[in-house]
Amino acid sequence: MKRSPKLKLFNDPIYGFIPIPNNLIFDLIAHPYFQRLRRISQMGLSYLVYPGAHHTRFHHALGAMHLMQQAIAMLRQKDVEIDEQDAEGLLCAILLHDIGHGPFSHALENELFRGMDHELLSLRFMEELNIVFEGQLQTGIDIFQKTHPRPFLNQLVSGQIDMDRMDYLKRDSFYTGVAEGNINAERLIAMLSVYDGNLVVDAKGIYSVEKFLMARRFMYWQVYLHKTSLAAEQLLIRIIRRARQLYQAGALQCPSEGLAYFLSLTDTDANFSGAALKTFALLDDVDILAALKSWQQDSEPVLALLCEMILDRKLPSIKIKDTPIEPERIMKKKRQFQKITGFDMEEVSYFVFSGEISNQTYSPETQILILEKNGEVSDVARHSRHLNLGTLSETQTRYYICYPKKGI
């Protein structure tokens, strides 16, 4: 006998009440793997720049699921056939699409466990949960992997104008207070349709698409790739690298058993077993912050100073240019810092470093298709008179140098 749906509402500051549609979704949300997302920051260390940016992956996953419910309802109104199995698959896929994020989200991606990005880890979690839930997630896994035979289902979860992007732009804009990133998700969803198996946007929604693309461009360069957030996240990466070096040499204690496990791994540890997945599921922002507070008091001066810089927000200066940083400039900054601290050049490299960042707002390979009144479908680039999609399609790369401020 089927259980009746558990009535549950989440009160979301963006959308209001978000209903849980069925027992499977309720049980997935209740699972410890998903509850962990309450302790994973959505925007890494961006709260050091935008004090309100303390929302979590849990918020985002629920919001994206809510938008997916709206999209399913809207497409069904337009006579797009979506049966209950596919609808449930869509909700499972979007709900779990970020379940593989580690502490501070993108900040430590590929650092705690090298070669395993959050999408691959999400797939591993979904496969594990599919065993627990006796195969009920298989359709969602197919959609997540973009192997479902109906392309528009895959595109609703991962595409140029998917429910993931709609929620994180709207949500991150709200919590950072950056109004330019806000989008009208409801209007965009109302304009969605399906043509020849692919997700399309009705022609009258072109201005909403333009606003969406410009909001995404603005949020990446002004928020997600903000230079101060970038400097903080690069410091955090270097803390983990220094801690790993010291831990493997037997010169460091780690307050978190889960974190200790990943610090013990070497580059040759390529197998991610079920036990490793369960250990990864124990990790969240709390483990990292506890470690920083502990290591701040450590006798090893490099690690202690790095931790202090993040905890007390004594962040390094960062300069961003359109051209690569000259090696002479980097060496000059290193020598200056070495003179102040007495650190050797390897130790100085934890504090003075360079790198690059890049972003592509619009990918022509996965187009946003516009459905015209005469039934023809074409790329948004043909319709937009206000956007230079040639420029938005280019990968823009910028280069940075970080070095401590005087007095650190």
Side-chain angles (χ1 to χ4, degrees):
M1 184 176 179
K2 270 191 170 183
R3 290 183 298 163
S4 60
K6 296 177 182 177
L7 297 177
K8 181 73 174 178
L9 295 173
F10 286 95
N11 194 350
D12 183 73
I14 310 295
Y15 309 117
F17 289 114
I18 296 177
I20 305 305
N22 58 48
N23 287 312
L24 174 60
I25 298 300
F26 182 95
D27 292 340
L28 283 172
I29 292 171
H31 194 278
Y33 285 173
F34 192 84
Q35 287 295 311
R36 166 183 164 274
L37 297 183
R38 292 181 183 270
R39 304 184 300 279
I40 302 290
S41 172
Q42 168 78 4
M43 295 182 63
L45 293 171
S46 292
Y47 65 84
L48 293 173
V49 179
Y50 302 100
H54 278 286
H55 55 303
T56 67
R57 289 282 158 184
F58 186 88
H59 293 121
H60 166 56
L62 290 180
M65 184 198 69
H66 172 70
L67 293 182
M68 186 65 78
Q69 292 184 80
Q70 291 189 335
I72 292 169
M74 182 60 64
L75 291 174
R76 282 173 167 171
Q77 284 183 24
K78 297 180 179 181
D79 296 325
V80 176
E81 183 182 348
I82 304 176
D83 62 27
E84 286 306 311
Q85 180 178 335
D86 285 344
E88 190 170 78
L90 282 169
L91 295 178
C92 290
I94 198 67
L95 184 71
L96 303 176
H97 77 282
D98 275 346
I99 199 169
H101 268 295
F104 292 104
S105 292
H106 292 288
L108 290 177
E109 189 160 356
N110 277 310
E111 192 58 42
L112 287 174
F113 194 90
R114 295 166 184 173
M116 296 283 289
D117 61 28
H118 80 275
E119 291 184 347
L120 184 51
L121 286 166
S122 292
L123 177 59
R124 293 292 180 86
F125 275 117
M126 291 171 74
E127 290 171 341
E128 187 81 10
L129 288 168
N130 196 34
I131 296 172
V132 175
F133 288 91
E134 301 177 338
Q136 294 182 79
L137 306 188
Q138 191 55 55
T139 301
I141 291 173
D142 292 342
I143 292 171
F144 180 79
Q145 292 186 285
K146 302 180 183 179
T147 59
H148 195 285
R150 305 181 75 192
F152 80 91
L153 298 178
N154 308 326
Q155 293 157 5
L156 282 167
V157 173
S158 180
Q160 286 281 336
I161 193 162
D162 55 40
M163 301 306 109
D164 173 28
R165 293 183 180 186
M166 284 192 200
D167 182 78
Y168 76 61
L169 287 175
K170 196 170 184 67
R171 188 168 301 278
D172 296 348
S173 168
F174 176 85
Y175 280 99
T176 57
V178 179
E180 292 86 350
N182 193 17
I183 62 166
N184 190 339
E186 291 76 14
R187 167 75 175 169
L188 279 167
I189 289 172
M191 294 297 104
L192 293 179
S193 190
V194 174
Y195 180 86
D196 197 22
N198 288 294
L199 197 66
V200 297
V201 180
D202 293 339
K204 58 186 176 182
I206 184 66
Y207 298 118
S208 297
V209 173
E210 290 178 344
K211 174 67 167 60
F212 171 84
L213 290 172
M214 287 309 300
R216 188 166 185 267
R217 175 184 174 88
F218 186 90
M219 288 293 285
Y220 266 89
W221 285 118
Q222 297 298 321
V223 178
Y224 304 133
L225 298 176
H226 189 285
K227 64 178 186 176
T228 305
S229 299
L230 174 64
E233 292 181 357
Q234 287 298 317
L235 273 189
L236 186 58
I237 289 171
R238 281 156 178 79
I239 286 173
I240 296 300
R241 290 177 182 173
R242 184 64 171 181
R244 177 177 282 117
Q245 181 186 51
L246 295 170
Y247 186 80
Q248 292 183 6
L252 183 69
Q253 296 294 316
C254 184
S256 163
E257 183 178 340
L259 180 56
Y261 173 84
F262 287 97
L263 292 181
S264 70
L265 297 182
T266 65
D267 290 336
T268 59
D269 291 315
N271 296 319
F272 201 85
S273 64
L277 188 70
K278 287 180 172 59
T279 304
F280 188 83
L282 299 175
L283 282 179
D284 53 49
D285 295 5
V286 177
D287 294 87
I288 302 299
L289 288 173
L292 296 188
K293 293 177 71 176
S294 174
W295 295 339
Q296 185 184 18
Q297 309 300 322
D298 197 87
S299 59
E300 204 285 315
V302 172
L303 183 62
L305 181 54
L306 288 168
C307 292
E308 178 187 333
M309 289 172 72
I310 285 189
L311 291 172
D312 295 344
R313 203 187 180 280
K314 297 177 180 178
L315 302 177
S317 295
I318 179 169
K319 305 298 181 185
I320 296 182
K321 296 177 59 179
D322 292 329
T323 56
I325 308 298
E326 304 83 356
E328 297 80 10
R329 184 181 181 190
I330 300 170
M331 183 55 66
K332 180 181 178 182
K333 292 296 183 183
K334 285 184 174 180
R335 285 174 178 153
Q336 289 174 345
F337 190 64
Q338 184 180 38
K339 186 176 180 180
I340 295 171
T341 62
F343 292 156
D344 62 36
M345 272 299 171
E346 180 193 358
E347 294 169 335
V348 167
S349 296
Y350 285 98
F351 301 89
V352 181
F353 49 86
S354 62
E356 63 182 59
I357 51 176
S358 60
N359 180 49
Q360 182 187 45
T361 302
Y362 180 67
S363 173
E365 287 77 27
T366 52
Q367 302 172 331
I368 296 177
L369 298 175
I370 303 298
L371 177 63
E372 301 180 49
K373 290 183 179 179
N374 61 7
E376 292 184 3
V377 173
S378 56
D379 182 57
V380 66
R382 282 189 52 189
H383 296 263
S384 178
R385 298 178 180 178
H386 301 93
L387 296 180
N388 183 346
L389 285 179
T391 300
L392 295 182
S393 299
E394 295 174 359
T395 299
Q396 292 186 308
T397 302
R398 294 177 184 172
Y399 306 86
Y400 65 86
I401 178 173
C402 287
Y403 51 89
K405 298 173 182 175
K406 293 179 180 179
I408 289 183

